[in-house]
Amino acid sequence: MGIKKIATIGENFLTLFGTTPEIVAAAPGRVNLVGEHVDFLDGFVLPFAIEAVTTVAIARRADPKIRIISSQQTSELITVNMADLAPMTGEAWTRYPIGVIWAMSELLNFKGGFDILIDGNVPLGAGLSSSAALECAVATALNELFSLNISKPDLARIAQRAENIYVGMPCGIMDQSVSIMGEKGSALLLDCRDLSTEHIPFNISPLGLELLVIDTQVHHELTDGGYGERRASCEKAVTVLGITSLRDISVPDFVARASELDETTYIRAFHGVTEMKRVLDGVAALRAGDFKEFGAIITASHISLRDNYTVSCPELNVAVETALSLGALGSRMIGGGYGGSAIALIRAEQTEDMKKAIASAFAAAGFIAPRFFTSLPSAGARVIK
Ligand code: GLA
């Protein structure tokens, strides 16, 4: 079944399902300024919601069937019976929206099914959390459709549960939280221990600065194991050291206890302990308007992800090194790693030169051509209709 790209999602929904959607909701992807691989460790993170969103249109059905189609995927209609919902089954992409229905099923108390149309412009596989955008758009839509009044942190927790259990990816809570709680003009300082937030203004345009996003076009598969293994190392460090969390030990105290940990556990947990400090230092730099210092902090994060946590890849490193060699204030890989995107904090007038230089460095290294976006903090999930 084809989808007319030019029509609105409501019109497409009508063409496909013969009825108008009851609800349309949208949720954004994210970039993360600093605080990588610490959300599952009760850490602090500093992401922001990007402008690109995933939009879902939903109508209830009387029978217990889910019919679902995404114009970002194969545009084929997939039908699933509500009674057959089970974690880790079904086509990979459908697990995200269906996982949210599964995670909310007890709250919905509804015997029928759903027609769902998904559309959006969050680039897939670019490390910009298209999966969280999809989960959060569905969670926001169902919250409104059934007048559930679920709080924003709880909606983020539901979306995370869908991803952890239904999709099978042991992610933390950062992507879902910022997709739901992000605000225009600010980065979100999120305390992953209790999901308390502070909005930190990140208004770089008047300063002549730009945040360039470099999508390496190398696609990562975070369910592959590297993510979970590293998370497990950090959790092991917490157990061996007998502390509540890596957040509850200072960098000097952690270093002093190095001999209690094996080398891999130590170096991975060292990333966690230092990265949490970098987030707080980064926020202090932003509050002081010191973007030079902020840039240095994000670059230090990259070095730690590359050398200690070892989740970078040659494409990400070339992007970062090229940006820095051209005078970026700071640059780093973002997200899970092994591909996806890097960010560079640059002077706006350098944008075109920077893109050219990075594209040529990729060509010279024999990598596939990168894609570029610029991004500013945008609004979180919302109901559109
Ligand atoms: C992925 C996960 C997040 C977070 C990042 C790394 O995006 O979904 O929970 O752990 O990786 O910071």
Side-chain angles (χ1 to χ4, degrees), residues 196-277:
S196 58
T197 58
E198 247 183 278
H199 297 278
I200 310 293
F202 190 73
N203 196 8
I204 54 175
S205 302
L207 304 170
L209 298 176
E210 183 106 80
L211 194 79
L212 182 67
V213 180
I214 307 132
D215 172 12
T216 62
Q217 302 243 54
V218 178
H219 299 310
H220 56 186
E221 204 42 83
L222 291 181
T223 36
D224 269 0
Y227 181 95
E229 272 168 33
R230 282 162 178 74
R231 175 177 176 157
S233 291
C234 293
E235 287 163 352
K236 181 176 168 192
V238 168
T239 310
V240 174
L241 297 178
I243 53 180
T244 40
S245 145
L246 289 182
R247 156 170 173 181
D248 299 319
I249 189 163
S250 69
V251 176
D253 285 352
F254 178 79
V255 171
R257 297 185 63 183
S259 61
E260 295 174 49
L261 301 171
D262 65 80
E263 206 179 320
T264 305
T265 306
Y266 173 76
I267 200 72
R268 289 175 175 173
F270 180 78
H271 166 76
V273 176
T274 55
E275 185 75 357
M276 292 186 205
K277 180 168 184 322

Side-chain angles (χ1 to χ4, degrees), residues 306-323:
R306 184 190 67 193
D307 299 345
N308 300 332
Y309 209 67
T310 59
V311 288
S312 192
C313 66
E315 290 84 353
L316 287 166
N317 296 337
V318 166
V320 167
E321 280 149 25
T322 311

Side-chain angles (χ1 to χ4, degrees), residues 9 24-27 53-57 69 71-72 116-122 133-134 137-138 384:
I9 193 163
V24 178
V53 291
T54 298
T55 306
V56 299
I69 182 164
S71 54
Q72 283 198 295
I116 305 175
L117 171 60
I118 297 161
D119 199 357
N121 57 357
V122 183
L134 177 50
V138 174
I384 293 174

Side-chain angles (χ1 to χ4, degrees), residues 30 32 35-40 129 163 169 171-176 222 227 335-337:
R30 61 100 187 92
N32 185 17
E36 217 64 88
H37 289 275
V38 292
D39 58 344
F40 44 77
S129 266
E163 184 149 348
M169 153 63 183
C171 67
I173 192 78
M174 170 172 72
D175 305 345
Q176 293 79 6
L222 291 181
Y227 181 95

